């Protein structure tokens, strides 16, 4: 969930299914222990839960649209939030596989670009 503080990650480029390539100076590690939201220690997760912007999935992680990785919120005023990796371990089972997180990131990016 957090970039490594040891040293900055090298710039990365990622392609979406629209054929566009986007450059970014940040790489986010979305792998980790698959747990319930209540067990996750990240401040961001706790804050999103307190606002009802995340709903716990019965198996673990948050409830989200599988096709887009967009979080399904209990609150009508929640912004569009997307998740990858361990935050979706209830909806998606392969959350520690890098290839799968890349695939999910592509789906989320495609949905974000469609919204613009």
């Amino acid at each position: 969930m957090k970039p490594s503080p040891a040293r900055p990650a090298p710039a990365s480029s990622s392609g979406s299914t629209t054929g566009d390539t986007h450059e970014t100076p940040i790489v986010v590690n979305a792998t980790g222990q698959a747990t319930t939201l209540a067990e996750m220690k990240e401040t961001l997760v706790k804050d999103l839960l307190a606002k009802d912007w995340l709903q716990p999935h019965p198996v673990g992680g948050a409830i989200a649209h599988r096709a887009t990785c967009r979080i399904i919120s209990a609150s009508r005023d929640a912004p569009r939030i997307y998740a990858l990796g361990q935050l979706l371990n209830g909806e998606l089972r392969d959350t520690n596989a890098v290839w799968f997180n890349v695939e999910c990131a592509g789906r989320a990016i495609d949905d974000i670009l469609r919204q613009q």
Side-chain angles (χ1 to χ4, degrees):
M1 300 284 299
K2 301 177 190 172
S4 171
R7 63 176 190 238
S12 174
S13 66
S14 175
S16 71
T17 58
T18 63
D20 298 328
T21 299
H22 303 277
E23 299 287 329
T24 178
I26 299 170
V27 176
V28 177
N29 178 5
T31 63
Q33 293 288 64
T35 59
T36 64
L37 293 179
E39 295 171 320
M40 293 182 186
K41 295 178 178 22
E42 292 82 11
T43 303
L44 177 60
V45 172
K46 292 178 186 293
D47 290 347
L48 294 176
L49 279 169
K51 293 179 179 183
D52 285 332
W53 289 0
L54 289 181
Q55 297 182 82
H57 188 282
V59 177
I63 297 174
H65 291 282
R66 290 180 184 178
T68 63
C69 301
R70 184 174 172 180
I71 295 294
I72 298 171
S73 176
S75 174
R76 289 185 167 262
D77 65 338
R80 287 186 311 166
I81 301 171
Y82 293 84
L84 299 172
Q86 70 172 351
L87 277 174
L88 298 183
N89 66 47
E91 291 289 350
L92 310 169
R93 295 286 178 208
D94 227 355
T95 58
N96 266 346
V98 173
W99 72 266
F100 189 68
N101 283 331
V102 170
E103 170 71 25
C104 291
R107 288 191 261 156
I109 290 167
D110 287 342
D111 192 61
I112 292 167
L113 293 175
R114 279 193 295 272
Q115 302 295 323
Q116 294 181 356

